Structure formats: structure tokens, C-alpha cells
Amino acid sequence: MDEAIGRYPPEHKRSAALPLLHFWQEHFGFISDEGVKWIAAKLDLQPINILELVTFYPMFRQQSAGKTHVRVCRTLSCAMAGSYRLMENLREAIGVEPKIDNHGTHNPISVSPDGNCSIEFVECLASCGTAPVCMIGETLHENVDPNSVVDLISNPQSAIRNPQSAHPLEHRLVFKNIGRAGWKIDIDTYIDNGGYEQLKKAVTMSRVDILNELKTSGLRGRGGAGFPCGVKWSFIKPDEKKPIYLICNADESEPGTFKDRYIIHEDPHQLLEGILISCLALNARTAYIYIRGEFPEGAKILERAIEEARKHNFLGKNALGSGFDVEVYIHRGAGAYICGEETGLIESLEGKRAYPRIKPPYFPAVLGLYMCPTIVNNVETLCHVKHIIAMGGAKYAQLGRPNNTGTRIVCVSGDVERPGYFEIEVGAVTMGQLIYEMAGGLKPGRMLKAVIPGGSSAKVLRADERFKIKDRQSDGSIIEREISIDEIPMDFDSLTAAGSMAGSGGVIVLDDSRDMVWTLNNINEFYAHESCGQCTPCREGALWMKKITERMLRGGGVVEDPRTLKMIGDNIAGRTICAFGEACAWPTQSFVEKFPDEFASRAAKPVPPPLPPEYISEELTERETIPTTALAHDPGWEKAGSAGTI
Ligand SMILES: Cc1cc2nc3c(=O)[nH]c(=O)nc-3n(C[C@H](O)[C@H](O)[C@H](O)COP(=O)(O)O)c2cc1C
Ligand code: SF4
Ligand code: FES
């Protein structure tokens, strides 16, 4: 416990709240009142400061689970692959009655009568390419057969699939070692293959030189917003007096995204080397890797990697004799998608509920962790830093396309023959190549219906849409052309121009067997469950949209429903503290707009008396847009987007 507290500055020991709660739960099985009081006393806090964490973070329990606890993913790719059937079969196998649940599918944990087994639905476990998945205890099981649950419980060995080898259309930098014969994740193998050479090189470079390489490379963040990494880093003042922090965002929880997990599991030293080079460049003496709670194995792998690197003096005091002291710590989350949003993540790291902060003024680079300048970068982004130092920024920038440089990992899940992750030169592969060549195409006899191209928050694209794309020529002139979905280059700007986004690189493919109301309802359940609850439009709107799509599915839809759904979405986007507002509104807005017939056919009934609550207020049905203040509209870099020109 004291070692965990020692990972944070003494005046910020509240940060140890989540680690202590994990210790308590691992030891006693759940968080009792006694545990709440004990941890509060240890951290000089009030019991309410701890209780509010237990009630916010889904991984903490106030009651015992069974001896074997099974978490089944219920999010889109897993639901499409049969996770609801899996849950039903599990329930029957362990003798648990289905619960009547007025709040959607997130039943509290159900424990079998003999206490041997318990089950719980959870949100995306970042393994969508091997759907359906579940965790038994701390172990992930992939490609689970929903009809063989008894075998699963009686023989719960890990079923993690072998890493994928490279497809000919791939250009692997970050995934270079993954799936390679003879590759092991220990530091000796890493060093034998040229590992930590770039850190040694970076130690001889000035901070300005490293930053310049990064700026020249044009690297854009791979966590979702696509913000230029060099620009973000240059917000740190060279003469900064406060401590500077680097946070590696390993919360990977955007449905459809499963790349960071593989980097951590298969090449942890690559990430560590990227973090250490970044610390040097930023003059950050402390880095935290915020890893989602559902990656217990990943956290252990990284802890081991840190200890190995310390023994080689790559980190710690006077790293590599450079005079630079640097420490890297692992900090585990405890569920909650919103911990991936950088300011929510920072609050969580400070030992609080993950309530995002408003930007401005709380841009992390200015007022971040402990109100100090902080750079938050995604796992994959930080890995690219190492390759930029190896190749030089200019050479790296030759990969991909202008403003969309380098490589990126794209994850494909859903209705394709070979779901998986593919590292491509940004924009060098089209959506059609990705789906039909790399991911093996659709199931026999099926046609493409739609694609969600950048994680479930991205606006859906219809298979038969035509998109107007602007191409920037080498002489600076712009040519506009019309293309089909198959022709969209997989890069940031093209997907923005197509009316969606590249986001976190999670491509979810939907074939013509999919019911779009069912699909949207699954997505809406995710957002309704994951809203942190601070902003009224998001908290109420996300739940309201879910209630409507659920009602439509059950046959209770009324003619007004599609219009109401759209109106709710329109009144969330742009009116919230963080970009979760857009993330939850965009699916509804785009599904309803692009599949009007399907939504209309589920909403054919007249509005019956008594009216559902949303039709009572005249103000809401008649005024489509509620005005907002300028402050609420300030996008910050999360919502910055791009000009839509490639
Ligand atoms: C609702 C929400 C969830 C997010 N989840 C993640 C996440 O799981 N992982 C991640 O790296 N970034 C996530 N982001 C983006 C981060 O806020 C942040 O932009 C990113 O970590 C910055 O790193 P990058 O510049 O390297 O992309 C999320 C953003 C929002 C609004
Ligand atoms: S937009 Fe939603 S998730 Fe973001 S702060 Fe507001 S309520 Fe929380
Ligand atoms: S792991 Fe189940 S949807 Fe992502």
C-alpha cells in the first residue's frame, strides 16, 4: 500500500485511491464500508471521497461476486457475434434467473445460488476483432462459442488468439515485431533487435531537435482527435517552472478499437522507449501510463517491462548517464469509458470521479495533472515517436499523404471474414481494399450495408453513398471528385470529407442482414451507460435516445420517434463539457438521417394517449434548437476536426 502511495507526489496522495481500492477488492472480494473508511483514513480523506469512487467506477463492487466471475462484453461487435446468446446460455448454465431491469442491460452482478459463479455484462473489452469475448476472472477469452459456455467455465484457460502476421498491403512500423517468428517480449529480445537504440540517440539530441523532428514528421494523434503531436508538445514552455507530466493514454475503450492492447501485450518495451524519448523532449520527469482496469495482464506486463528497463538504467536516476532522472508508473483505471477523455483521465488519476474538465481553461498542456503542464498521448502515438527518431521526421513524413503522414493501425471488426488489425500507410489503402482484400470481404452471399469508420462515435457511412472529396495537388491546387465508399482513402482528412472521421481507427462493418434500429440501440445503450452525468444534455439525452430506440425495437415506436431522436442528438452536440456529447449524438443523427425507411417502419404507430413524456412539452417538440452560450461551443482540440481537404 505504501509503495502504491509513493508513486504520487506526497501532497497528492489522493491519487492512490484507485490503486488502494483495487488492492482491497482483490483481497476481500468487494469494497465494504470498513474498506471505504480505512482507505479514506490512509489518504487523509473523508469516507465520501472514497465511496463516490466505488459508486462511479463499474469495476468496484459493494457485494461479493462468485468464486468465478465472468464479464461478458455486450457492445456492438460482440453483440453482432452472439454475446447476448452467450449471456443467456451462461445464465442458464449457472442457474441464474433473468433480472427485470428498468435501466437497460446493465444488470447488477448475478451470482449463482451456490456462490460458485457470477456473471455481468460489461462494455467493449478492446478485443472486438475476436468477438465475442469475455473475461473469466482476469483472463480474456476470445472467439467464444456462445453454445459452449459449460466448457468455458469448467476449462477456463486463456484463449488469446495468436498475433496476426502482416498482410501484403500493410506497412508495419509499430507492429513490426508482432506475430514475427521467435519474437518474445523480454528486454533482451528487444535489445537484440535494436531496441532502446533510439533512446540512446535521443539522449545525445537537444530537446528542440527532438521536437523539430516530431513537427517535421507531421504525426497526428492516434487516440481519436488526430491533433498534431508536435503542435501539442510545443505548448509546453521551454522555461516552465512547474513539474511537467507525460501521460500515456492506455484506456482504449472506444468500441471497435483494439490496437493498444496488442502493443502492450506484444511489444511493451517499444511503448516504454517511446515514452522515455518523449519525456526527454518534454523535460517531463514523471510519466504515468493510465491503463484501463480491464487490462490486468497488460498492467503486469508493463510493470515487468519497467523493472527490466530500470535494471538497464534506461529509466530511474541519471538515465543512461544523461543526468536526466525519469520515472514511469502504471496507474490502473476501474472501468468507465470517459476515463479515455484526457481531462476525465486526469481527474481519475488525481483519485476522483472521471469528470471531464472544461476547455478552456483546462487544456492539459497548461492546467493538467495537479494543475501542472501535462501532455496526454495515446499508446500508438507514443510508439511512433521512436520510429520518427529512427527515420528522421522528413523521411517519416514521406509515408502516407500530406497532412496524413506515417502509418496507423486500423482495426476491423463486424461482418467480415477476417477481422483484425492492420498497420497501413495513412491513406495508401482504400476502404474497399481494407474490407475486401485485407479483412477477407463479407460473409458468403452478403452485401455491404454500412461502415462505421472510426470507432462507434463516428458517423455511419452508407454503402451506396457518393462522397465529394477534395484532393490537394502537388502545385497546391485543389481538384474535387466524387467517389464511392470503396474508394475512400483511409486517412484523417478523407474520412472527415466523407462526413465522418478516422477517429481511433476502429472500423465496424455492417452487412445487409443488420437491422439499423437494433444496431443504433446497441450503440445508444453504450453511451447511456457511459455518460459521466455532469452535463444535462448528455446525461438525459443519451438515456432518452436509448429509451426511444429500445421502445422502437420492442414494437412501441410512434411516428414522431425518428424526428425526436434527431432533435435530441442535435441538442446534445456542441452543448456539453467534453466531446462525449458529439460521440453520443453522431451515431443517432447519422443513423436516422441515412436509414430513414428502417426507422420510419419501426415508428409507424400514431402517438397514442397517454403521450410518452417526450411529447408532452410543446417547447421541446416545436423548438428544434436550443440556443447555447459561446463558451459551451468552444471546441478545444478534441473537436477541432480538419478542413476536409486532402
Ligand atoms: C469520450 C472520449 C473518449 C476517449 N477515449 C480515448 C481512449 O480510450 N484512448 C485514447 O488514446 N484517447 C481517447 N480519447 C481522446 C483523448 O481525449 C485524447 O485526445 C488523446 O488521448 C490524445 O492523444 P493523441 O493526441 O496521441 O491522440 C477520447 C476522447 C473522448 C472525447
Ligand atoms: S459531455 Fe457527457 S461525458 Fe462529457 S462531461 Fe458532459 S456529461 Fe460527462
Ligand atoms: S470487445 Fe466486445 S465490442 Fe469490443
Side-chain angles (χ1 to χ4, degrees):
M1 295 260 179
D2 290 331
E3 195 267 329
I5 297 173
R7 295 178 167 201
Y8 310 95
E11 64 279 26
H12 297 293
K13 64 179 181 178
R14 180 177 186 161
S15 283
L18 259 59
L20 296 200
L21 281 164
H22 275 299
F23 283 141
W24 191 280
Q25 184 159 295
E26 273 156 29
H27 197 74
F28 296 105
F30 69 105
I31 313 288
S32 58
D33 290 352
E34 192 197 352
V36 168
K37 286 187 202 143
W38 191 90
I39 294 170
K42 187 88 184 156
L43 299 178
D44 300 330
L45 296 169
Q46 295 300 318
I48 186 64
N49 303 133
I50 301 300
L51 186 62
E52 68 175 3
L53 304 181
V54 179
T55 53
F56 182 86
Y57 291 95
M59 285 183 75
F60 295 131
R61 299 188 286 267
Q62 288 177 285
Q63 65 187 75
S64 276
K67 284 188 199 127
T68 303
H69 183 53
V70 187
R71 296 183 174 97
V72 178
C73 173
R74 56 126 251 116
T75 316
L76 188 56
S77 302
C78 285
M80 286 163 65
S83 66
Y84 277 72
R85 199 154 23 96
L86 170 64
M87 184 53 131
E88 225 24 72
N89 291 344
L90 265 174
R91 231 198 290 271
E92 268 179 32
I94 67 168
V96 172
E97 290 293 314
K99 283 196 177 154
I100 307 296
D101 176 15
N102 295 325
H103 304 286
T105 52
H106 286 84
N107 297 319
I109 293 168
S110 305
V111 187
S112 64
D114 58 6
N116 277 336
C117 196
S118 54
I119 48 177
E120 180 186 18
F121 253 147
V122 293
E123 296 297 355
C124 179
L125 289 169
S127 193
C128 328
T130 53
V133 299
C134 67
M135 285 177 78
I136 301 188
E138 298 210 327
T139 309
L140 181 78
H141 291 254
E142 306 182 84
N143 294 124
V144 176
D145 177 354
N147 300 317
S148 309
V149 286
V150 180
D151 297 351
L152 185 72
I153 301 171
S154 55
N155 182 24
Q157 280 133 13
S158 173
I160 293 200
R161 208 174 64 159
N162 286 333
Q164 241 175 259
S165 47
H167 185 278
L169 283 173
E170 284 190 68
H171 184 125
R172 288 194 171 186
L173 289 180
V174 173
F175 269 7
K176 186 177 66 173
N177 295 321
I178 296 183
R180 201 153 62 78
W183 176 250
K184 292 205 288 279
I185 63 170
D186 61 279
I187 197 164
D188 294 333
T189 309
Y190 187 69
I191 291 173
D192 289 346
N193 285 275
Y196 288 109
E197 287 303 317
Q198 307 321 318
L199 177 63
K200 289 180 192 159
K201 183 174 167 189
V203 165
T204 65
M205 294 167 72
S206 72
R207 289 196 176 110
V208 176
D209 286 345
I210 304 177
L211 180 61
N212 283 341
E213 291 297 345
L214 198 72
K215 281 188 178 160
T216 310
S217 75
L219 176 69
R220 291 172 68 171
R222 305 301 197 234
F227 193 81
C229 193
V231 176
K232 192 194 279 192
W233 285 19
S234 60
F235 293 147
I236 302 287
K237 290 186 273 177
D239 57 348
E240 181 60 60
K241 298 286 181 298
K242 287 185 187 173
I244 297 159
Y245 292 99
L246 173 69
I247 300 176
C248 168
N249 188 341
D251 193 61
E252 187 163 61
S253 33
E254 175 73 24
T257 318
F258 46 94
K259 60 195 176 67
D260 299 343
R261 170 199 281 282
Y262 286 100
I263 296 174
I264 292 166
H265 275 246
E266 301 293 334
D267 204 351
H269 282 287
Q270 177 183 203
L271 173 59
L272 212 47
E273 187 173 5
I275 289 175
L276 292 169
I277 297 170
S278 308
C279 283
L280 268 176
L282 294 163
N283 198 19
R285 283 157 197 271
T286 309
Y288 290 102
I289 304 178
Y290 187 105
I291 184 164
R292 62 180 295 194
E294 297 90 338
F295 287 0
E297 181 65 27
K300 283 183 198 144
I301 289 171
L302 285 170
E303 294 277 11
R304 258 196 316 271
I306 290 171
E307 283 325 304
E308 287 177 330
R310 185 186 308 286
K311 285 194 189 125
H312 283 76
N313 192 222
F314 294 134
L315 56 82
K317 290 231 170 301
N318 190 19
L320 286 174
S322 63
F324 189 69
D325 301 344
V326 57
E327 282 300 337
V328 182
Y329 298 113
I330 305 298
H331 183 97
R332 280 185 69 198
Y337 165 70
I338 198 58
C339 295
E341 194 282 335
E342 57 188 3
T343 59
L345 182 155
I346 288 171
E347 284 280 304
S348 178
L349 186 40
E350 290 185 0
K352 299 179 225 156
R353 287 183 163 199
Y355 285 151
R357 299 170 176 172
I358 195 152
K359 297 186 268 188
Y362 296 107
F363 285 109
V366 186
L367 295 170
L369 185 63
Y370 313 130
M371 291 300 138
C372 293
T374 303
I375 292 296
V376 183
N377 274 131
N378 170 260
V379 167
E380 187 193 342
T381 312
L382 290 168
C383 290
H384 281 282
V385 171
K386 169 200 151 117
H387 297 284
I388 289 165
I389 297 302
M391 299 168 71
K395 191 142 181 251
Y396 182 91
Q398 284 168 8
L399 296 175
R401 327 172 57 145
N403 203 36
N404 297 265
T405 57
T407 63
R408 85 166 299 180
I409 302 160
V410 184
C411 315
V412 185
S413 64
D415 295 323
V416 286
E417 287 281 49
R418 285 196 305 274
Y421 42 76
F422 306 98
E423 186 171 357
I424 56 169
E425 249 187 77
V426 186
V429 166
T430 62
M431 180 82 82
Q433 285 175 305
L434 183 70
I435 295 175
Y436 296 102
E437 294 180 43
M438 304 177 92
L442 301 168
K443 305 263 160 59
R446 288 283 160 215
M447 307 258 289
L448 185 67
K449 181 166 188 178
V451 179
I452 304 171
S456 70
S457 312
K459 290 190 176 177
V460 66
L461 303 174
R462 261 182 91 118
D464 57 359
E465 269 183 271
R466 302 289 297 172
F467 305 94
K468 283 210 169 81
I469 301 275
K470 291 176 186 165
D471 271 329
R472 193 185 295 279
Q473 306 299 296
S474 47
D475 63 359
S477 63
I478 290 172
I479 295 181
E480 196 173 275
R481 62 191 172 108
E482 210 182 82
I483 57 173
S484 70
I485 193 166
D486 291 348
E487 295 167 304
I488 301 176
M490 292 302 296
D491 65 57
F492 293 97
D493 292 347
S494 301
L495 284 160
T496 304
S500 188
M501 65 171 178
S504 54
V507 176
I508 307 171
V509 178
L510 304 166
D511 72 23
D512 57 352
S513 68
R514 296 295 164 192
D515 172 343
M516 298 317 253
V517 179
W518 178 90
T519 307
L520 179 62
N521 184 55
N522 182 283
I523 296 173
N524 282 349
E525 276 179 13
F526 173 80
Y527 290 105
H529 184 254
E530 297 300 325
S531 166
C532 86
Q534 279 192 104
C535 319
T536 308
C538 170
R539 181 188 61 243
E540 303 300 323
L543 188 64
W544 192 2
M545 293 189 297
K546 184 213 103 171
K547 282 185 174 171
I548 293 180
T549 46
E550 201 171 66
R551 189 174 69 207
M552 292 172 91
L553 269 184
R554 289 186 182 155
V558 295
V559 281
E560 276 293 303
D561 281 343
R563 185 166 159 261
T564 310
L565 278 172
K566 175 87 174 24
M567 182 268 294
I568 300 168
D570 292 350
N571 283 302
I572 300 173
R575 294 169 165 76
T576 55
I577 292 173
C578 85
F580 184 106
E582 280 73 20
C584 77
W586 284 343
T588 290
Q589 288 172 319
S590 59
F591 271 71
V592 173
E593 188 190 316
K594 296 195 179 180
F595 298 92
D597 297 347
E598 274 185 62
F599 280 83
S601 69
R602 295 297 186 103
K605 295 184 187 166
V607 181
L611 298 178
E614 54 270 33
Y615 300 115
I616 293 173
S617 157
E618 276 180 27
E619 192 190 357
L620 274 184
T621 47
E622 283 172 16
R623 261 190 29 211
E624 297 259 318
T625 311
I626 301 166
T628 57
T629 63
L631 183 65
H633 270 297
D634 192 295
W637 65 50
E638 292 279 11
K639 304 182 189 176
S642 65
T645 301
I646 54 175

